[in-house]
Amino acid sequence: MQNTVTPTHCPYCALQCGMNLTPVEGGTVEVSERADFPVNRGALCGKGRTAPAVLSSGVRLTSPLVRSGEGVLVPASWEEALGRIAANLSRTRAEHGADAVGVFGGGGLTNEKAYALGKFARVVLGTSQIDYNGRFCMSSAAAAGTEAFGLDRGLPFPLEDIPRTGCVILVGSNPAETMPPSLRYFTELRENGGTLIVVDPRRTRTAEQADLHLAPRPGTDLALALGMLHLVVAEGRVDAEYVEERTSGWEEARAAAMAHWPEYVERITGVSVPELREAVRLFCAPDAAMVLTARGPEQQAKGTDTVGAWINLCLATGRAGRPLSGYGCLTGQGNGQGGREHGQKADQLPGYRKLTDPAARRHVAGVWGVDPDSLPGPGRSAYELLDALGTDIRSLLVMGSNPVVSAPRAAHVEGRLRSLDFLAVCDVVLSETAALADVVLPVTQWAEETGTTTSLEGRVLLRRRAITPPDGIRSDLEVLHELAGRLGVEKGFPTEPEEVFEELRRASAGGTADYSGIDYRRLAEENGVFWPCPATEETGSGGASRHPGTPRLFLDRFATDDGRARFAPVSHRPSAEEPDDAYPVLLTTGRVVAQYQSGAQTRRVDELNAAAPGPFVELHPRLAARLGVAEGDPVAVVSRRGRAVAPARVTTAIRPDTVFMPFHWPGEGRANTLTNPALDPTSRMPEFKVCAVRVEPVAP
């Protein structure tokens, strides 16, 4: 065995922390510090350190599985498994039409896989019915950012700018638990004299670090942002020159904000007027400031408007498109950014092009060698696609997602999956979704394959293969290549990641997310490249005129047609589901430090399970006293969609009118059984973060 050290990146969150991998006995790897990568400088959380545990043959899938005549999954050859998938997809298309076949992708897929999956759906299957679980991540922020700035990139500046600004408002984010290596940026901010404001209904580990913690009632972030903008206007803190020179739509947004006077906002949010005034003072006092949002304000049926309101606050105070200032979104999934840029989202083509744009269709069709008219139009968004299973959509291919645990109204989604004529799943482990499938294909993991991801900074990165996968394991690219051939498309689906990336470069050229000036060699030499990075003519001896990439966006102009940022004329409205006598408490959901997303991988790691062995219900002592429950007692949380049971965790860190559940677990503690699939009208984001519930003690 060669003890070659391979520099690469963590398979989990969107920080994409750098790490070194060294092969060890047993076909796995050892993780060590990689100090040269600037984002984490060697630091790793427990999930990153223990990631190799999932490479073990005792944890992962090692053979294709097919459902037998007795209804159980049994090992099969690749030939049989691929043949079954191709035959069933062909039968569905022939009997019910191309749109009766659906494809559901994931925000953990590399750019190459996401690109190939979108191409496979549209060219091979001819279906419009493709979306991915990243729709559940930051689609509201993407919609609001595109509307305001003309471009969606999670952060328009690198993380290294955060400690050098004067104030950060962190809305609905808990990086101390969701991406621990990033917490140092906020610690350094305060050490440098800056201030941190955290907006969260819970006093999280991150909120404990804040100079000011605002704890609004779940679902009222929009009113909070509007109330702050009202005070900015009333106190004469608007940067009138900036508004005049660099924005449009101010008067409409101003009028909407002025209807949200502080006392009114206090009644809606529970945040006091003095706290509102202090937040505005802290934000406006320094020369530079930022607003960063995450799932809290975004996973709402008014998430796009909510993010738009926070962007308005930045624009009115001149805090966007200037050094060390701006609005940004903290992306969650490992490739949540790149995953939606290159074609697995229902309405987009590679390069973040719109599927409805004739010029975009011509360009991409030219790269793919097909007639633009053959490309289907936009399909259903993620939840709408899942809700149509078994009726309009009869067969489904899932790649890198576990909607049985992660989707809203999860028990209903499980039922829709069970009603399919045919389900195929490609995954590393036998997830709860894979366990329902007719065919399961075992695929390679991050340490066993090369490919690119795009971090929350918009930094395109190269993950490198460190070890050879076990016999019987194939890559997702190989799966798509084999299926395409069986379905009559012999060319266009290469299995080598670099070859796929070279095609992706051409397809993205000239698009919003332009990768055409990036190649694998640059990524290796430069520790990543920020998009947009268009190709340039190399000139001079040595050919040195390549585009440097764009770590900081909007400093000269915004990406809109006229170069101006657009205000959003938004007003507060109630959540889709408000408490009543039958369901008097609000539920909000989130993550814990030792688990990740649906937990399909992290729940198989002993060290992580010891730290976070199962679900819980966080509730305030006053609510616990009314219910007559104590720490550790089982309680049932009931919504209009279902019931979940987990031990009580009694704490003053949460509002008395709110309970919290993490969503990583299946079974009776499955939090997403309860959540509301009400959709944002623009982003089609479900309302994960707020729904009405009642809490009941459970008899022992």
Side-chain angles (χ1 to χ4, degrees):
M1 176 181 298
Q2 293 183 346
N3 289 323
T4 304
V5 175
T6 302
T8 190
H9 297 274
C10 179
Y12 291 118
C13 83
L15 284 180
Q16 288 296 281
C17 291
M19 57 170 59
N20 286 323
L21 300 181
T22 304
V24 295
E25 294 294 337
T28 184
V29 292
E30 181 178 79
V31 170
S32 60
E33 180 179 305
R34 181 185 169 192
D36 70 305
F37 187 62
V39 170
N40 62 310
R41 303 177 201 165
L44 293 169
C45 73
K47 296 186 288 289
R49 285 190 300 98
T50 61
V54 189
L55 295 166
S56 168
S57 59
V59 172
R60 68 185 304 165
L61 293 167
T62 56
S63 169
L65 303 174
V66 300
R67 198 161 296 279
S68 70
E70 290 73 37
V72 297
L73 288 171
V74 297
S77 68
W78 274 93
E79 188 67 25
E80 180 183 0
L82 291 167
R84 282 204 191 189
I85 296 174
N88 279 279
L89 298 184
S90 293
R91 184 180 303 113
T92 298
R93 292 171 65 209
E95 294 178 359
H96 304 286
D99 275 358
V101 178
V103 177
F104 200 80
L109 301 180
T110 62
N111 290 316
E112 291 81 359
K113 294 177 185 178
Y115 172 84
L117 187 63
K119 181 180 179 182
F120 177 83
R122 296 180 174 103
V123 173
V124 178
L125 298 176
T127 182
S128 66
Q129 301 303 303
I130 175 172
D131 211 76
Y132 81 129
N133 62 17
R135 174 78 67 172
F136 301 153
C137 181
M138 57 176 289
S139 58
S140 294
T146 300
E147 180 58 33
F149 307 128
L151 181 153
D152 156 45
R153 197 180 83 185
L155 293 180
F157 41 73
L159 285 162
E160 67 186 41
D161 285 1
I162 291 174
R164 300 191 293 142
T165 193
C167 178
V168 172
I169 302 179
L170 192 58
V171 189
S173 177
N174 182 17
E177 297 201 60
T178 58
M179 44 182 64
S182 73
L183 189 63
R184 67 176 176 82
Y185 290 103
F186 303 101
T187 302
E188 291 173 8
L189 164 73
R190 299 183 69 215
E191 290 172 350
N192 292 340
T195 54
L196 175 63
I197 302 170
V198 171
V199 179
D200 198 305
R202 304 168 61 224
R203 191 161 183 82
T204 62
R205 295 183 189 180
T206 304
E208 292 282 355
Q209 308 298 315
D211 297 281
L212 177 64
H213 172 215
L214 306 179
R217 183 175 179 266
T220 64
D221 310 88
L222 175 52
L224 181 68
L226 288 163
M228 290 182 65
L229 183 55
H230 178 111
L231 287 171
V232 165
V233 176
E235 296 175 359
R237 299 180 185 272
V238 174
D239 187 334
E241 182 179 354
Y242 173 93
V243 169
E244 174 66 25
E245 292 180 355
R246 299 203 62 187
T247 73
S248 62
W250 166 236
E251 288 305 322
E252 295 86 349
R254 177 187 179 281
M258 296 315 289
H260 297 76
W261 59 94
E263 292 78 12
Y264 172 57
V265 170
E266 180 181 67
R267 290 198 301 273
I268 294 171
T269 66
V271 176
S272 70
V273 173
E275 288 177 312
L276 281 171
R277 293 188 184 278
E278 178 65 0
V280 170
R281 185 190 70 81
L282 291 174
F283 184 68
C284 294
D287 293 333
M290 300 174 179
V291 173
L292 304 177
T293 68
R295 305 303 80 74
E298 298 163 17
Q299 287 182 326
Q300 298 183 31
K302 54 180 181 291
T304 302
D305 285 358
T306 301
V307 173
W310 288 105
I311 292 174
N312 286 352
L313 183 66
C314 292
L315 295 177
T317 54
R319 308 303 178 88
R322 284 178 167 172
L324 306 181
S325 287
Y327 163 77
C329 168
L330 299 176
T331 310
Q333 293 190 80
N335 197 32
Q337 181 70 49
R340 69 180 177 281
E341 292 170 1
H342 298 301
Q344 65 173 333
K345 195 160 173 268
D347 55 352
Q348 287 174 353
L349 289 169
Y352 224 138
R353 289 180 159 90
K354 293 184 181 298
L355 194 51
T356 53
D357 178 1
R361 294 170 66 88
R362 285 194 300 273
H363 173 83
V364 174
V367 174
W368 289 351
V370 299
D371 184 341
D373 292 338
S374 71
L375 298 178
R380 293 174 172 88
S381 70
Y383 179 77
E384 292 166 303
L385 188 157
L386 295 171
D387 191 40
L389 300 180
T391 54
D392 293 340
I393 299 173
R394 310 297 292 268
S395 292
L396 182 69
L397 172 64
V398 176
M399 191 169 281
S401 187
N402 188 19
V404 166
V405 178
S406 64
R409 198 184 174 197
H412 171 74
V413 168
E414 179 179 345
R416 301 319 308 152
L417 285 159
R418 290 181 182 276
S419 73
L420 284 164
D421 295 343
F422 181 76
L423 172 63
V425 175
C426 301
D427 212 329
V428 173
V429 297
L430 191 67
S431 70
E432 288 72 24
T433 302
L436 303 179
D438 297 286
V439 178
V440 183
L441 300 180
V443 290
T444 51
Q445 298 191 48
W446 99 109
E448 303 162 345
E449 59 186 13
T450 294
T452 62
T453 62
T454 306
S455 75
L456 79 171
E457 301 177 297
R459 189 195 303 249
V460 186
L461 302 165
L462 182 63
R463 282 191 195 162
R464 299 170 176 87
R465 174 171 166 160
I467 54 174
T468 302
D471 291 339
I473 308 295
R474 299 187 186 181
S475 73
D476 295 282
L477 293 179
E478 290 173 317
V479 168
L480 294 175
H481 172 84
E482 292 290 339
L483 288 177
R486 283 168 168 78
L487 292 167
V489 180
E490 298 292 340
K491 296 181 179 180
F493 290 88
T495 60
E496 288 301 318
E498 188 168 7
E499 188 176 348
V500 178
F501 190 80
E502 288 300 306
E503 182 178 305
L504 182 158
R505 291 176 62 195
R506 298 195 302 275
S508 74
T512 301
D514 191 335
Y515 284 29
S516 60
I518 305 172
D519 58 30
Y520 274 26
R521 180 177 177 180
R522 282 196 70 177
L523 294 177
E525 291 174 348
E526 300 177 29
N527 250 338
V529 178
F530 292 86
W531 72 259
C533 183
T536 60
E537 292 291 333
E538 293 191 348
T539 59
S541 60
S545 163
R546 60 188 183 186
H547 193 283
T550 315
R552 294 170 181 86
L553 297 169
F554 313 138
L555 295 180
D556 299 317
R557 69 188 308 275
F558 295 98
T560 56
D561 291 341
D562 60 6
R564 291 172 172 265
R566 306 184 188 99
F567 280 93
V570 296
S571 296
H572 174 72
R573 61 182 184 274
S575 298
E577 188 174 81
E578 290 288 320
D580 56 20
D581 291 343
Y583 301 95
V585 178
L586 291 169
L587 168 71
T588 192
T589 63
R591 290 169 48 189
V592 296
V593 67
Q595 300 290 349
Y596 180 74
Q597 302 299 81
S598 75
Q601 296 186 46
T602 52
R603 284 187 275 110
R604 289 167 166 81
V605 179
D606 291 341
E607 180 180 330
L608 300 179
N609 276 334
F616 57 86
V617 180
E618 193 174 272
L619 67 165
H620 193 275
R622 281 190 288 190
L623 178 57
R626 288 203 303 272
L627 295 170
V629 301
E631 179 77 16
D633 288 350
V635 295
V637 182
V638 184
S639 77
R640 289 176 173 85
R641 290 154 295 281
R643 182 175 186 267
V645 178
R649 183 173 293 183
V650 182
T651 174
T652 58
I654 194 166
R655 292 173 54 98
D657 59 2
T658 301
V659 295
F660 166 83
M661 290 187 73
F663 64 85
H664 310 289
W665 289 273
E668 68 173 7
R670 180 171 53 172
N672 276 325
T673 295
L674 309 168
T675 48
N676 192 351
L679 300 180
D680 181 291
T682 302
S683 68
R684 315 309 287 169
M685 168 72 83
E687 191 149 79
F688 286 100
K689 280 296 185 273
V690 54
C691 69
V693 300
R694 65 174 179 266
V695 185
E696 304 168 339
V698 175

